[in-house]
């Protein structure tokens, strides 16, 4: 049973109250403004590593927003975005994002415009809890299919993380922070809770050269939630009783991120280089205890697991004028990730590792990536312009876990993509612009593909703007879906190398205005309509192998569709900053046209509101964020391996924090996450031809957690 009930009436009252509150004009408040939290459209590229703002409406999470919620990784700050859902997995510790009900395979995550390597792909299905944001200037979010500019698998949107660059003035900057956080009601200085330490130093040598170095450690001790931990064993009458209470609800993990970057201006040309190393240790404690006798004494042990991930990222970006007003942008990246697996016998009474049964590399990925484009090719024309570019990706790797044994006899696979893209700017009048674009993709795994888009902007006035984008909704299968292979006496799970890419149509329309309500008051409403129609959508299926055994694999279902409307509002009055939004989304899936499947849309209401208030004379900001996520529809697999259409329950998330400057050099942030104490929600599958309806519970939170962050900043 879900811990938070679906009470739509309450949320409508909250929505109405927040809207009414946003309309009030306070006249007695301090006149100091705080930074506006809203979506912006910028004509022109002020930063060539940013998401293109000519064609898309870009939402921004700024550094101040990150500091207000004491965000350490990307999962900490994305939860409150209206159309993004963060989906954590308690078993493996991963947290992925979905947009408009489409999972992480449809959302591309970039760092400075370059996609990030993951366990089974590049840029998609990223564990966002592994992405440290201590050296991040801002996070850009674009909703809608962006395949022409950013390639396949950017069907639902793009999240681009922009790294900090240098200082405003020459000199040194030192930043230190310590953060202690409970996990639910669990906290001990070393053994329970979450413990974070950050260090960063930046040197602005002169107006042309700067460099920085930083390190961050995030120690998550797990979420016990009535489980008893690693060293628990139930012994009665000299016999081990397996009560399945050993271990933890959420597995513990420790992360270390070290990065350095260099920013060099050579006249009008800019060179930016970033090198980052990431290490994660994830422990999985077996709930089954072996109660063996050794030398006449009881010696309880457990067969535990450890996964260690090491990732290196080396990114280079060079940009500047090619000739006159024509600009170039070149990026090159080499990324490698390896995951080591250990199966170990843990002696519970001695609290030590007794022996290591398996120690092998279980996953490996190596990626070469390059992208370049030339923009403003016809600068003298007021009617027509052109941007042309290429993108190259070579990814090779293997997943030894999927072979069914841990030997060096693994099969390495490679996918190479060669892509050319172009976007035209046609501006018949000062108010209207039309941007057709195409991308040609040649892949060693799939047939040649043409991705297309057509966007247009019409400015009714200087502030009232209409933007529309229609284009391909193209997604290629990832490494796991193609090459996974795990076959032994108990398992028969394989990828499907005959999978076809998904394709379809996506349409996004945005109407936005900006009102000046008073001398110090602004209201920015934004209305969005979206439609996504995916053909041959990829999902898990059950069939038979060549020997007649049940085979769990991947297949293309008939379609998956999304239809929805979004109303988003930003209100600023003096030192008040209020955001208020709602999305009404319908989702429908069809497994097969031959089955009697209900193809009606399941409609879901999502609400989001945020409030920030600054007390200028105390240098203190209070902020709170509330998000209600309604029921969503998906394709599920029941106990018999059959696919059925089901739905996931609604839930509400509420955070609050207080950030203050204790001195010019020291600041503190105190807050609470998950104030409503959500832990799990129900996921139900509807009855099908061969099974009855079932309900299961899915963990999405670790209870109400409190945090305190102390930061020290020194400028020399």
């Amino acid at each position: 049973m879900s811990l938070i009930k679906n009470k739509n009436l309450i949320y409508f009252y909250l929505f109405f109250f927040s809207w009414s509150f946003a309309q009030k004009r306070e006249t007695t408040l301090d006149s100091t403004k705080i930074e506006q939290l809203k979506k912006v459209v910028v004509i022109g590229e002020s930063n060539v590593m940013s998401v293109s703002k000519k064609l898309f409406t870009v939402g921004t999470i700024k550094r101040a927003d990150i500091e207000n919620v004491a965000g350490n990784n990307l999962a900490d700050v994305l939860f409150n975005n209206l159309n993004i859902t963060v989906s954590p997995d308690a078993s493996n510790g991963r947290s992925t994002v979905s947009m408009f009900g489409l999972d992480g395979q449809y959302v591309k995550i970039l760092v400075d415009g370059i996609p990030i390597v993951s366990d089974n792909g590049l840029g998609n299905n990223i564990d966002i809890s592994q992405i440290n944001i201590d050296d991040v200037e801002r996070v850009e979010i674009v909703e809608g299919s962006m395949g022409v500019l950013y390639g396949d698998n950017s069907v639902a949107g793009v999240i681009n993380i922009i790294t900090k660059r240098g200082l405003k003035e020459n000199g040194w900057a030192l930043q230190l922070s310590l953060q202690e956080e409970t996990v639910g009601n669990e906290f001990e200085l070393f053994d329970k809770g979450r413990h974070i330490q950050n260090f960063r130093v930046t040197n602005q040598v002169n107006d042309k050269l700067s460099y920085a170095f930083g390190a961050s450690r995030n120690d998550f001790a797990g979420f016990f939630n009535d489980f008893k931990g690693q060293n628990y064993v139930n012994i009665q009458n000299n016999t081990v009783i397996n009560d399945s209470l050993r271990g933890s609800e959420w597995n513990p993990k420790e992360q270390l991120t070290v990065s350095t970057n260099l920013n060099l201006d050579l006249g009008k040309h800019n060179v930016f280089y970033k090198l980052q190393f990431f290490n994660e240790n994830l422990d999985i404690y077996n709930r089954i205890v072996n109660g063996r006798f050794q030398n006449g004494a009881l010696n309880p042990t457990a067969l535990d697991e450890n996964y260690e991930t090491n990732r290196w990222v080396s990114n280079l970006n060079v940009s500047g004028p090619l000739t006159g007003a024509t600009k170039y942008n070149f990026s090159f990246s080499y990324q490698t990730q390896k995951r080591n697996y250990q199966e170990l016998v843990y002696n519970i009474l001695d609290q030590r590792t007794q022996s290591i049964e398996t120690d092998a590399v279980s996953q490996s990925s190596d990626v070469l990536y390059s992208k370049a484009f030339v923009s403003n090719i016809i600068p003298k024309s007021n009617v027509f312009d052109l941007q042309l570019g290429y993108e190259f990706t070579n990814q090779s790797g293997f997943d030894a876990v999927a072979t069914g044994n841990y030997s060096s006899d693994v099969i390495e696979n490679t996918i190479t993509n060669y892509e050319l893209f172009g976007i035209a700017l046609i501006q018949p009048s000062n108010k209207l612009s039309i941007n057709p674009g195409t991308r040609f993709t040649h892949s060693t795994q799939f047939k040649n593909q043409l991705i297309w888009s057509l966007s247009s902007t019409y400015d009714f006035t200087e502030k009232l703007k209409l933007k529309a984008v229609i284009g391909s909704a193209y997604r290629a299968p990832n490494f796991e879906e193609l090459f996974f292979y795990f076959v032994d006496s108990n398992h028969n799970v394989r990828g499907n190398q005959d999978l076809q890419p998904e394709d379809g149509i996506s349409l996004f329309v945005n109407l936005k205005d900006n009102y000046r309500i008073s001398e110090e008051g602004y209201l920015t409403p934004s209305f969005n309509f979206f439609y996504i129609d995916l053909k041959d959508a990829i999902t898990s299926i059950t069939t038979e192998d060549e020997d007649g055994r049940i085979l769990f694999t991947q297949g293309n279902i008939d379609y998956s569709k999304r239809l929805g409307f979004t109303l988003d509002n930003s209100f600023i009055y003096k030192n008040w900053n209020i955001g208020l939004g709602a999305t009404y989304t319908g989702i429908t899936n069809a497994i097969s046209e031959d089955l009697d499947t209900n193809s009606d849309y399941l409609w879901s209401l999502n609400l989001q509101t945020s409030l920030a208030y600054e007390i200028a004379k105390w240098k203190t900001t209070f902020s709170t964020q509330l998000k209600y996520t309604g029921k969503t529809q998906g394709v599920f697999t029941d106990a018999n391996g059959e696919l059925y259409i089901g739905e996931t329950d609604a839930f509400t998330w509420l955070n609050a924090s207080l950030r203050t400057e204790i001195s010019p050099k020291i600041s503190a942030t105190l807050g609470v996450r998950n104030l409503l104490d959500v832990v799990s929600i129900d996921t139900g599958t509807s009855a099908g031809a061969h099974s009855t309806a079932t309900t299961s519970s899915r963990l999405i939170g670790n209870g109400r957690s409190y945090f305190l962050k102390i930061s020290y900043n020194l400028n020399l």
Side-chain angles (χ1 to χ4, degrees):
M1 180 178 180
S2 174
L3 297 184
I4 299 296
K5 300 290 187 180
N6 180 0
K7 299 180 179 179
N8 286 329
L9 186 59
I10 294 177
Y11 299 115
F12 275 112
Y13 280 135
L14 280 171
F15 189 87
F16 178 76
F17 170 76
S18 299
W19 171 259
S20 301
F21 181 70
Q23 308 307 308
K24 294 182 180 180
R25 299 186 181 185
E26 303 290 343
T27 58
T28 59
L29 300 175
D30 193 292
S31 61
T32 303
K33 294 181 181 179
I34 62 176
E35 201 165 22
Q36 187 171 0
L37 309 176
K38 65 174 184 176
K39 293 182 178 179
V40 295
V41 176
V42 179
I43 302 301
E45 297 289 348
S46 59
N47 186 332
V48 292
M49 298 168 70
S50 296
V51 173
S52 173
K53 300 177 179 66
K54 293 178 181 179
L55 307 179
F56 306 99
T57 300
V58 182
T60 304
I61 301 175
K62 299 180 181 179
R63 187 68 218 177
D65 309 330
I66 297 172
E67 296 291 348
N68 284 341
V69 299
N72 173 260
N73 59 52
L74 194 57
D76 292 334
V77 299
L78 284 183
F79 78 96
N80 199 48
N81 187 277
L82 184 59
N83 293 312
I84 290 180
T85 301
V86 177
S87 303
D89 189 325
S91 62
N92 57 27
R94 302 181 80 249
S95 292
T96 56
V97 297
S98 62
M99 296 178 70
F100 308 105
L102 294 171
D103 63 27
Q105 303 291 356
Y106 301 84
V107 183
K108 183 157 283 189
I109 298 181
L110 317 169
V111 173
D112 299 320
I114 297 174
I116 307 171
V117 66
S118 68
D119 293 346
N120 50 38
L122 182 66
N124 295 98
N125 205 31
I126 304 292
D127 179 3
I128 59 173
S129 71
Q130 294 183 348
I131 302 177
N132 183 271
I133 55 174
D134 287 305
D135 66 343
V136 168
E137 178 65 31
R138 66 187 182 277
V139 179
E140 300 173 335
I141 302 170
V142 184
E143 299 169 350
S145 184
M146 300 178 65
V148 169
L149 278 180
Y150 298 98
D152 57 6
N153 304 3
S154 54
V155 174
V158 166
I159 299 171
N160 189 30
I161 302 161
I162 304 297
T163 304
K164 290 180 180 179
R165 291 190 179 192
L167 304 173
K168 294 180 180 179
E169 298 179 354
N170 294 348
W172 293 82
L174 174 66
Q175 298 169 299
L176 299 170
S177 68
L178 297 174
Q179 184 171 333
E180 295 296 317
E181 187 167 336
T182 72
V183 177
N185 58 3
E186 303 166 5
F187 182 80
E188 291 179 7
L189 194 55
F190 298 105
D191 297 328
K192 292 183 179 181
R194 188 181 180 201
H195 316 280
I196 302 172
Q197 304 90 40
N198 296 308
F199 163 81
R200 180 178 171 84
V201 61
T202 305
N203 181 20
Q204 185 72 42
V205 180
N206 50 48
D207 59 353
K208 297 183 180 298
L209 174 64
S210 68
Y211 60 89
F213 172 81
S216 175
R217 175 179 176 269
N218 184 349
D219 180 18
F220 174 70
F223 178 42
F224 289 78
N225 195 27
D226 296 329
F227 288 91
K228 305 299 183 180
Q230 179 185 19
N231 297 316
Y232 170 79
V233 59
N234 186 355
I235 300 176
Q236 298 180 19
N237 299 323
N238 207 31
T239 301
V240 169
I241 305 299
N242 270 303
D243 52 14
S244 297
L245 292 178
R246 182 177 182 266
S248 56
E249 186 84 87
W250 293 73
N251 295 309
K253 61 182 178 179
E254 182 180 13
Q255 299 173 334
L256 176 66
T257 304
V258 180
S259 64
T260 183
N261 63 62
L262 181 145
N263 188 53
L264 176 63
D265 289 321
L266 300 173
K268 296 180 180 180
H269 303 269
N270 177 263
V271 179
F272 182 76
Y273 176 72
K274 180 171 183 175
L275 177 67
Q276 185 178 81
F277 170 72
F278 171 80
N279 171 269
E280 178 184 82
N281 262 289
L282 171 68
D283 292 313
I284 301 177
Y285 302 133
N286 200 327
R287 302 241 166 94
I288 304 300
V289 177
N290 301 312
R292 297 190 180 96
F293 281 87
Q294 188 175 10
N295 298 325
L298 186 64
N299 185 40
T301 61
L303 190 63
D304 293 341
E305 296 174 305
N306 172 267
Y307 289 91
E308 182 179 9
T309 299
N310 290 298
R311 177 191 302 145
W312 285 94
V313 177
S314 178
N315 291 345
L316 173 67
N317 177 265
V318 184
S319 61
L322 188 63
T323 175
T326 302
K327 298 180 180 180
Y328 74 92
N329 181 291
F330 170 79
S331 295
F332 177 80
S333 176
Y334 173 68
Q335 303 179 48
T336 179
Q337 175 174 301
K338 296 186 186 300
R339 186 177 64 229
N340 194 75
Y341 172 84
Q342 281 191 345
E343 193 177 41
L344 53 94
V345 176
Y346 183 77
N347 191 305
I348 298 176
L349 296 184
D350 292 344
Q351 299 184 12
R352 64 177 179 85
T353 299
Q354 182 171 296
S355 63
I356 296 178
E357 303 296 302
T358 303
D359 189 355
V361 176
S362 68
Q363 180 268 336
S364 176
S365 293
D366 287 280
V367 175
L368 283 174
Y369 172 87
S370 179
K371 181 178 181 179
F373 60 87
V374 178
S375 59
N376 203 18
I377 294 177
I378 312 175
K380 295 183 179 180
S381 174
N382 296 323
V383 179
F384 183 80
D385 203 352
L386 191 64
Q387 175 178 309
L388 297 174
Y390 79 85
E391 192 165 3
F392 167 80
T393 306
N394 178 273
Q395 180 182 359
S396 60
F398 62 84
D399 194 336
V401 174
T403 65
N405 56 65
Y406 295 95
S407 69
S408 59
D409 185 21
V410 295
I411 299 175
E412 183 169 301
N413 295 282
T414 300
I415 298 178
T416 305
N417 285 357
Y418 305 89
E419 304 179 65
L420 299 173
F421 63 90
I423 297 177
L425 168 64
I426 305 171
Q427 192 161 351
S429 69
N430 292 332
K431 293 187 175 183
L432 176 64
S433 65
I434 303 171
N435 302 90
T438 58
R439 173 181 287 247
F440 174 78
T441 298
H442 172 73
S443 172
T444 56
Q445 184 66 33
F446 311 110
K447 296 179 180 179
N448 294 341
Q449 181 72 29
L450 186 67
I451 303 173
W452 62 273
S453 71
L454 177 64
S455 65
S456 180
T457 300
Y458 187 82
D459 300 338
F460 293 97
T461 66
E462 184 179 347
K463 297 180 179 179
L464 179 61
K465 302 176 184 294
L466 177 67
K467 188 181 295 290
V469 182
I470 185 172
S472 303
Y474 177 76
R475 178 175 95 79
N478 63 32
F479 245 61
E480 182 180 23
E481 292 167 333
L482 290 168
F483 304 123
F484 195 88
Y485 187 87
F486 189 10
V487 178
D488 60 18
S489 59
N490 299 314
H491 305 87
N492 190 10
V493 185
R494 310 182 194 181
N496 181 1
Q497 297 189 36
D498 295 325
L499 277 176
Q500 296 302 309
E502 301 177 13
D503 205 351
I505 295 291
S506 75
L507 171 65
F508 281 76
V509 180
N510 172 262
L511 179 64
K512 184 176 182 179
D513 206 346
N514 184 281
Y515 297 99
R516 183 167 183 168
I517 298 177
S518 67
E519 185 176 346
E520 298 176 281
Y522 298 87
L523 174 64
T524 305
S526 176
F527 174 78
N528 299 275
F529 166 80
F530 58 88
Y531 174 72
I532 303 173
D533 183 359
L534 301 176
K535 302 296 185 183
D536 295 324
I538 299 170
T539 190
S540 300
I541 63 171
T542 304
T543 182
E544 291 185 354
D545 66 5
E546 59 276 5
D547 298 322
R549 296 190 304 164
I550 295 177
L551 170 64
F552 297 91
T553 185
Q554 303 288 324
N556 296 99
I557 66 174
D558 278 343
Y559 67 77
S560 179
K561 298 180 182 180
R562 274 104 180 120
L563 172 67
F565 311 88
T566 297
L567 178 63
D568 204 0
N569 298 276
S570 173
F571 177 75
I572 292 179
Y573 183 75
K574 295 185 177 180
N575 46 357
W576 288 94
N577 192 323
I578 300 173
L580 180 67
T583 295
Y584 196 51
T585 305
I587 299 176
T588 182
N589 300 279
I591 300 169
S592 172
E593 292 180 349
D594 298 331
L595 297 178
D596 184 17
T597 303
N598 183 3
S599 60
D600 292 339
Y601 283 93
L602 173 66
W603 290 93
S604 171
L605 175 67
N606 292 356
L607 300 175
Q608 176 271 335
T609 183
S610 62
L611 182 147
Y613 177 70
E614 183 187 36
I615 307 174
K617 62 180 179 180
W618 294 347
K619 297 182 179 180
T620 298
T621 300
F622 170 78
S623 59
T624 182
Q625 306 87 29
L626 181 143
K627 183 178 179 181
Y628 167 77
T629 301
K631 288 186 176 183
T632 55
Q633 188 187 83
V635 179
F636 299 90
T637 304
D638 67 9
N640 299 319
E642 298 287 343
L643 288 182
Y644 298 103
I645 306 300
E647 61 185 46
T648 299
D649 268 359
F651 65 96
T652 304
W653 204 272
L654 175 62
N655 291 357
S657 61
L658 184 72
R659 186 171 185 268
T660 185
E661 290 188 19
I662 300 174
S663 73
K665 298 178 182 179
I666 301 175
S667 63
T669 307
L670 176 68
V672 56
R673 306 189 203 275
N674 192 8
L675 192 60
L676 301 181
D677 202 23
V678 180
V679 174
S680 63
I681 57 175
D682 289 342
T683 297
T685 57
S686 56
H690 306 288
S691 69
T692 59
T694 60
T695 301
S696 60
S697 181
R698 181 167 68 90
L699 292 168
I700 64 166
N702 47 41
R704 185 183 299 114
S705 300
Y706 301 90
F707 64 85
L708 173 64
K709 179 179 181 180
I710 303 294
S711 301
Y712 176 79
N713 298 280
L714 176 64
N715 294 312
L716 299 174

